[in-house]
Amino acid sequence: MPSGLTTAFIYTPRFLEFDYGPGHPLRTERLELTYDLISACGLLALPSTRYVEPEPATDDELLVFLTPDYLKVLKAADTGDAPPGAFRYGLGTSDNPILPGIFRWSALVAGASLLAMRLVESGEVRTAFNISGGLHHAGPGMASGFCYINDAALIIAHLCRRGYRVAYVDIDAHHGDGVQWAFYDTDQVLTLSIHESGSTLFPGTGFVNELGEGKGEGYSVNVPLPPSADDEIFLWCFNEVVPPLVDAFQPDILVTQLGIDAHRTDPLSHVGISLGAFVLAVRCLKDVCDRWVALGGGGYDQRNVPRAWTAAWAIMNDREPPVLLPESFLARHKGIELRDAAFMDAPAITDGMVKARAWDEVREEVGLLKRLVFPRHGI
C-alpha cells in the first residue's frame, strides 16, 4: 500500500459521446459537470491524486459476470436497431432504450470500474472513484433501471475470483437489487443497501427480510427507509448498521455506490436528505476499510450531482468541500439554474406525526436486523 493518501479519479470525455435520448432522466452531462467542478476546485491537481482515462472492458472481462447470450444481444443492439428477442433481455423499454453506441458506452463504464478495481487491488492507490459507475440494477442476463451492465457486480465478481472478501455499501435511493441477487448465496460478499422502501419506489425490492440464503444468509442487509425519511433518520440508520457490520466482516476491499438521488430535490425519489447527510455518510465510509473502490450511481437533479461527488472526492483526499462554488464553474454552467453559489445546503429535518411514524418504522427494522443478522457476525 502506498504511503499517505493516494487516490485515482477515473474519467474520460468519451463518457459524453453517448446520450440516453431526449426526456430520459439519466443525463451523461452530470458527469461533465462533476469533472468540471472537481477541476475548478483544484482537486485534480493534488500531489496525491492521479487522473486516469479508462478503456472499454473486453468481452472476456465482461463474461465474468454477463451471460454469453446477453452479451451477444447487447453488442448487436449497439447499432441502435433492436435485435431479435431484445425485449426478453430488458432492452427496448423506456428505461433502457436501444440507441446507437449503447454497448460501447456500457463497456466503457464497466472498463472504468475495472480500472478503478485494478488500481486499488494492486496497491497503486488506496481509493479510486469512477463517477460513471454504480449501475446497480442490471443482472447477468438483463438490463434494468437505466443499467445495461452492472459494473459494481462485475468488479465484485472479479474480486471474488481472486479470493477477496468484499463489502458493498449502497446509499442510492433505489435498492441495489442487481448486486444483492448476484451474491445472495455467498458469505464472501457482504451487501448493505440503505434506500427508499420498495413499497414506494423502483425496483420494489430491498426489504429487511431479504437476508441471503445458504452460506449467504445474514450477508444481505437492507434498511428500507420510509418516503418521509430525513437527515436524522438516514444517518441514524446508517450509523447503526453500516460501520458495525463492515467492521465485523473485515473486508479486504470496500466497494460503494454513492448515488445522490435520496436528496430532497431529486425528481425520482421521495426520501429527503441534504448534501450534509450524504457527506457525513461518505466520511464514515472513508474510515471503514483501507482499500476503497467508489462508484457513482443515481442522481437526477443536475444541481446536486456535481456538488455531492465533488464533496466525496474532497473527502477521499482529506480535503474539505469549498464554502462556495467557484466563479469559473458558475460562469461556464449558467444553464443549470443554480439557486445560489453556496456549495452545501441546509439540513433536511422534518417533524410531526409523519416523522414519529418514520422513527417507529426504522427502529423496528434496525431492531430486527440486530436480532437476525448481527449475531451471525459476532456483534
Side-chain angles (χ1 to χ4, degrees), residues 131-213:
I131 59 173
S132 72
L135 304 179
H136 58 175
H137 294 306
M142 178 168 284
S144 176
F146 314 162
C147 308
Y148 299 83
I149 295 176
N150 190 329
D151 61 294
L154 175 67
I155 65 173
I156 294 171
H158 275 267
L159 290 169
C160 286
R161 275 192 168 193
R162 300 172 198 185
Y164 293 104
R165 289 165 60 82
V166 181
Y168 172 75
V169 180
D170 190 320
I171 60 173
D172 195 284
H174 301 82
H175 175 231
D177 57 330
V179 183
Q180 171 180 288
W181 303 128
F183 305 102
Y184 203 61
D185 60 354
T186 179
D187 59 1
Q188 196 176 347
V189 180
L190 173 68
T191 63
L192 300 108
S193 182
I194 298 182
H195 50 268
E196 183 178 333
S197 171
S199 297
T200 56
L201 193 66
F202 177 89
T205 56
F207 296 98
V208 73
N209 61 350
E210 295 169 22
L211 298 172
E213 61 187 15

Side-chain angles (χ1 to χ4, degrees), residues 241-319:
V241 174
V242 174
L245 282 174
V246 175
D247 183 62
F249 182 69
Q250 289 292 294
D252 299 304
I253 295 178
L254 172 70
V255 177
T256 62
Q257 201 269 22
L258 303 179
I260 185 55
D261 47 359
H263 191 275
R264 57 185 158 196
T265 67
D266 198 275
L268 295 194
S269 73
H270 312 96
V271 176
I273 71 169
S274 68
L275 287 171
F278 174 88
V279 164
L280 288 173
V282 174
R283 286 189 193 282
C284 179
L285 290 169
K286 177 178 176 292
D287 295 328
V288 299
C289 187
D290 287 338
R291 294 195 280 185
W292 181 12
V293 180
L295 309 173
Y300 308 96
D301 184 335
Q302 300 274 47
R303 298 166 298 185
N304 298 330
V305 176
R307 284 180 163 108
W309 292 346
T310 298
W313 179 244
I315 291 164
M316 293 171 193
N317 288 282
D318 275 347
R319 297 297 196 276

Side-chain angles (χ1 to χ4, degrees), residues 103-123:
F103 171 73
R104 282 170 290 161
W105 184 79
S106 299
L108 182 60
V109 171
S113 290
L114 285 166
L115 174 59
M117 177 203 76
R118 287 193 295 268
L119 290 170
V120 170
E121 180 201 11
S122 67

Side-chain angles (χ1 to χ4, degrees), residues 3 35 83 97 99 106 119-120 150 218-219 225 240 263 272 283 294 299 357 362 373:
S3 60
Y35 170 78
L99 296 165
S106 299
L119 290 170
V120 170
N150 190 329
Y219 291 81
L225 301 172
E240 289 289 311
H263 191 275
R283 286 189 193 282
R357 286 194 293 269
V362 298
V373 174

